[in-house]
Amino acid sequence: MVFELVERDAAGRIGKWYVGGKKVKTPLLLPVINPNIPVVSSNELRKMGCEMVITNAFIIKSSFADKAVERGVRKITGWNGPVYTDSGTFQMFSRGVKDLSSREMVEYQVKIGSDVVTPVDMFTLPDETKREANVKLNETIKRTREARELVDFLCVPIQGGCFTDLRACACKAASEIGGEVYAIGGIVPLMENYRFTELSDIVLTCTSNLPSNRPVHAFGCGHPMVFSLLVAFGCDVFDSAMYSLAACKGRYLTPTGTRNLSELREFPCFCPVCSRHTPEEILKMGEKERIKKLSLHNLYISFQEIKEIRQAVYEGRLWELVQERVRSHPRLLEALIFSLKKYRSFFLSRDPVSKKSAFFYSGKESELRPEVLRAKEWVKRVRSKKYFVKKPFGRIPVELWGVYPFFQSIVPGFTEEKQPKVSEKSVVKAIMDYQFGDGAGKLLKTFEVEKSKKTGKIRRIISKGKVLGTIRAYDNFFLPTVHGAELLKEKMKKIVVRDEAVEFVKKGRDVLAKFAETDDKVFPGEEVVVEDREGNIIAVGKCMLNRKEISEFDKGVAVKVRNSVKYLSS
Ligand code: GUN
Ligand code: ZN
């Protein structure tokens, strides 16, 4: 079973996860199915876009025992697709049940046909002492190791309470053990009590320390108001029991918070429930029906939020969505600000260097976003005689007027000025310095600029009849050809391709992560040069992964090749 990265934004990603013989899409929401209290049918789940469910081995074992082994988890839950099982740690914990043998629970999950099996980890409360947290962490690691001997398709739980050093240790142990998915445990009480800063601190400690090549699951975080924040922080999988727990209490979930049904005069939603009923009608229904309707709405809105997040990732505006969402609770905003400050280097390593959507300034915290930090850093590489000022980027060389994110940003109080008059050659050189470092522009020496007849914008850079590269329309980044890379080589980051893939890449095929290596601290979205082991340039293209990811992913593309030696353009 594998995980492959398809698209990315902030520290978030869209991935393909091959699990239980099927392919599911992340960010993924797993509704919790309680076979004893079936609220929503399999059919209804499918209609909402559900791809996989999670159920609880402890509950199944208590209610069905060996009958579940005969019937299998799919018959028991009524879900005929991939099924994840939680061991029941949280339920045992909530009900004060003494731990059942982890080995026994793991074997039971295998027997009932689960696709992802969870050991009995030790639930750690946020306010436990470090000693207690450490004991539970070590026991969790021990049980996970034992489970790993029994199954490949393992959920590896991460405990450690609120102690980030313990969480980091847990991640290290988890990486060594390895599994199908890493699950951050013990965070439900933080979510329920709106302790979002501590929640974020834990999540980011984990996502920045765990291997990047497997999905990360935020155990029990089923409130749609935290999805976008947690995706931006690197979580890929969520499970929701909350849709039905909230429904039982008459609560109506929205991506901006929880409402009481009794207080609603209008439904701010157009799901099949909310478009057919008024709050009053649902209040008047019998308990069973009311819970069913509320559960359905709660699930619809949760899936809708997941889709909204995925679309934001595709468009490169996940931070904007997050900033919108955190406005619904001051504690969320506080968590975002805290995280942007504390985890800036992690965000810089994951956030693409250029985006198709403009940067929208939507509050003071925009100034802490990786796009701004990177732009401020890269601007220092460029020398100029004239500058203009645009908040929050500061002083910008006029040559970079059209370059992402300076032009592709909307900031209150800044009205777009006319493009300053500067020579095209100095613009090209400034772009090189900005992207590849001080002195890159000088490496070009003699070149000509070819402009688009339609728009008058710089299109191609040519030298002695050879195309060195093009300027991309939406961000004005320079995209070198192999010829261009030959000149810029010393300034560009290098991806080395293993021998067996060299011929493919020379023909213009993408560099697969499996065959790629690099020593350079490369960022997603950067233009890189691709070489064979001897240091010969074989291609150029856009790097899709950072250095850590290149070393960890064994599936998917590391470099999207744009030009290769077999197709040298002239
Ligand atoms: N569900 C919510 N939190 C947890 C946790 O810490 N461990 C497990 N196994 N399940 C959970
Ligand atoms: Zn609704």
Side-chain angles (χ1 to χ4, degrees):
M1 290 193 273
V2 275
F3 181 62
E4 183 180 339
L5 210 146
V6 177
E7 196 56 80
R8 63 188 310 155
D9 194 22
R13 45 213 194 155
I14 289 177
K16 282 189 232 168
W17 186 21
Y18 299 83
V19 57
K22 291 257 160 49
K23 184 175 79 186
V24 299
K25 193 173 185 180
T26 67
L28 176 71
L29 174 62
L30 309 167
V32 174
I33 306 273
N34 183 340
N36 293 323
I37 325 169
V39 222
V40 181
S41 75
S42 209
N43 239 340
E44 287 166 323
L45 288 175
R46 288 235 183 262
K47 275 191 209 153
M48 296 178 193
C50 175
E51 295 183 87
M52 182 173 176
V53 302
I54 187 165
T55 188
N56 192 295
F58 165 70
I59 292 178
I60 293 182
K61 196 161 192 280
S62 318
S63 321
F64 301 89
D66 283 346
K67 282 220 180 74
V69 178
E70 284 159 37
R71 294 175 64 194
V73 72
R74 269 156 275 271
K75 281 242 171 66
I76 296 276
T77 55
W79 175 258
N80 190 16
V83 177
Y84 189 140
T85 46
D86 191 349
S87 52
T89 294
F90 192 57
Q91 287 65 27
M92 290 185 237
F93 172 83
S94 318
R95 294 174 197 191
V97 177
K98 272 282 232 184
D99 285 352
L100 302 180
S101 142
S102 179
R103 172 183 271 273
E104 203 179 302
M105 285 309 287
V106 167
E107 283 167 348
Y108 185 75
Q109 292 172 67
V110 174
K111 279 195 230 153
I112 63 177
S114 167
D115 297 308
V116 180
V117 167
T118 309
V120 181
D121 51 327
M122 291 203 70
F123 193 84
T124 315
L125 278 170
D127 299 314
E128 285 186 66
T129 66
K130 193 160 187 177
R131 265 183 76 123
E132 287 164 332
N134 197 28
V135 168
K136 290 187 173 182
L137 168 58
N138 288 328
E139 181 61 23
T140 298
I141 293 170
K142 203 176 111 201
R143 294 178 188 179
T144 309
R145 247 192 217 112
E146 174 193 70
R148 190 71 178 87
E149 305 268 300
L150 305 169
V151 275
D152 290 332
F153 36 103
L154 189 69
C155 154
V156 181
I158 311 290
Q159 295 289 348
C162 276
F163 304 97
T164 50
D165 53 343
L166 293 188
R167 292 279 181 176
C169 279
C171 292
K172 191 156 175 276
S175 332
E176 281 158 17
I177 297 168
E180 191 46 45
V181 54
Y182 298 100
I184 308 171
I187 51 180
V188 174
L190 295 175
M191 181 191 65
E192 287 176 342
N193 294 304
Y194 291 65
R195 290 165 66 175
F196 299 129
T197 297
E198 289 153 288
L199 173 65
S200 302
D201 202 9
I202 292 169
V203 163
L204 281 158
T205 299
C206 295
T207 52
S208 60
N209 280 291
L210 283 169
S212 55
N213 62 345
R214 288 289 178 271
V216 176
H217 177 177
F219 251 146
C221 281
H223 200 304
M225 83 188 285
V226 298
F227 290 169
S228 60
L229 188 77
L230 296 188
V231 170
F233 291 175
C235 295
D236 307 286
V237 179
F238 302 94
D239 64 286
S240 172
M242 184 162 265
Y243 74 95
S244 74
L245 297 175
C248 291
K249 295 182 194 153
R251 302 218 169 116
Y252 181 94
L253 303 182
T254 84
T256 56
T258 309
R259 307 292 187 77
N260 278 323
L261 176 65
S262 56
E263 287 162 9
L264 286 175
R265 306 271 300 263
E266 300 278 356
F267 280 139
C269 168
F270 285 95
C271 80
V273 174
C274 301
S275 53
R276 277 180 212 142
H277 300 283
T278 62
E280 206 184 345
E281 277 168 31
I282 293 188
L283 262 176
K284 282 188 189 147
M285 288 174 179
E287 189 184 29
K288 203 168 161 212
E289 213 185 343
R290 186 175 65 238
I291 291 175
K292 162 105 193 193
K293 298 280 187 213
L294 270 180
S295 298
L296 274 173
H297 158 80
N298 288 345
L299 259 183
Y300 266 111
I301 204 71
S302 302
F303 278 108
Q304 180 183 312
E305 180 65 358
I306 293 288
K307 288 182 188 172
E308 181 104 35
I309 292 165
R310 288 183 191 152
Q311 183 60 25
V313 173
Y314 285 127
E315 290 177 20
R317 43 167 205 85
L318 181 57
W319 286 122
E320 275 81 7
L321 177 65
V322 169
Q323 288 185 277
E324 210 177 292
R325 291 291 184 251
V326 299
R327 289 294 181 292
S328 54
H329 199 287
R331 297 252 174 277
L332 281 172
L333 176 59
E334 185 179 68
L336 176 63
I337 294 171
F338 166 87
S339 304
L340 284 169
K341 283 183 185 161
K342 181 164 173 188
Y343 294 92
R344 53 178 72 205
S345 63
F346 174 61
F347 291 130
L348 279 166
S349 77
R350 294 268 287 245
D351 200 40
V353 299
S354 167
K355 303 186 182 185
K356 284 191 177 146
S357 293
F359 173 98
F360 276 24
Y361 184 98
S362 29
K364 190 93 178 119
E365 77 282 7
S366 291
E367 295 167 24
L368 300 166
R369 280 172 49 175
E371 299 97 319
V372 176
L373 304 182
R374 178 157 14 239
K376 280 179 159 173
E377 207 43 50
W378 283 13
V379 150
K380 293 183 197 155
R381 301 165 166 181
V382 183
R383 283 156 225 253
S384 177
K385 293 203 179 81
K386 236 180 123 192
Y387 292 81
F388 68 104
V389 175
K390 185 170 184 179
K391 222 184 73 174
F393 308 109
R395 279 171 85 235
I396 306 154
V398 287
E399 291 82 358
L400 297 179
W401 187 84
V403 177
Y404 182 88
F406 310 118
F407 181 73
Q408 297 78 355
S409 49
I410 303 193
V411 178
F414 184 89
T415 36
E416 240 38 86
E417 289 157 18
K418 269 226 172 112
Q419 179 157 20
K421 283 222 157 33
V422 274
S423 86
E424 279 134 9
K425 288 199 173 170
S426 66
V427 167
V428 170
K429 285 189 171 177
I431 293 174
M432 308 281 172
D433 285 349
Y434 181 70
Q435 258 177 272
F436 304 112
D438 188 7
K442 270 196 205 133
L443 297 173
L444 289 196
K445 298 194 178 82
T446 56
F447 65 94
E448 291 126 51
V449 172
E450 184 188 283
K451 292 196 287 185
S452 154
K453 286 201 184 86
K454 258 200 221 145
T455 62
K457 285 187 179 161
I458 305 172
R459 279 288 82 100
R460 301 205 294 177
I461 316 301
I462 295 165
S463 175
K464 300 184 190 122
K466 287 178 181 167
V467 177
L468 300 184
T470 52
I471 299 287
R472 183 163 54 198
Y474 67 81
D475 60 0
N476 275 1
F477 270 42
F478 178 67
L479 314 176
T481 60
V482 168
H483 292 311
E486 277 161 359
L487 296 176
L488 290 168
K489 185 172 160 150
E490 64 181 86
K491 284 284 173 189
M492 289 177 71
K493 292 173 187 170
K494 289 165 196 70
I495 307 295
V496 177
V497 175
R498 291 225 208 93
D499 296 344
E500 56 262 54
V502 165
E503 284 310 312
F504 292 96
V505 175
K506 279 186 176 173
K507 285 184 196 145
R509 301 270 280 273
D510 290 339
V511 181
L512 300 180
K514 194 164 48 170
F515 301 117
E517 287 165 15
T518 188
D519 293 329
D520 291 336
K521 197 179 165 202
V522 62
F523 299 112
E526 275 192 305
E527 291 298 310
V528 291
V529 39
V530 181
E531 295 183 352
D532 64 14
R533 279 199 187 284
E534 280 77 53
N536 303 303
I537 298 184
I538 59 172
V540 285
K542 175 165 139 182
C543 201
M544 310 306 287
L545 306 174
N546 65 32
R547 180 169 61 186
K548 182 171 187 280
E549 292 163 344
I550 288 174
S551 72
E552 290 168 349
F553 270 96
D554 36 25
K555 190 125 176 51
V557 173
V559 183
K560 267 202 179 142
V561 167
R562 185 173 287 112
N563 183 221
S564 69
V565 287
K566 278 271 163 71
Y567 296 100
L568 279 183
S569 45
S570 57

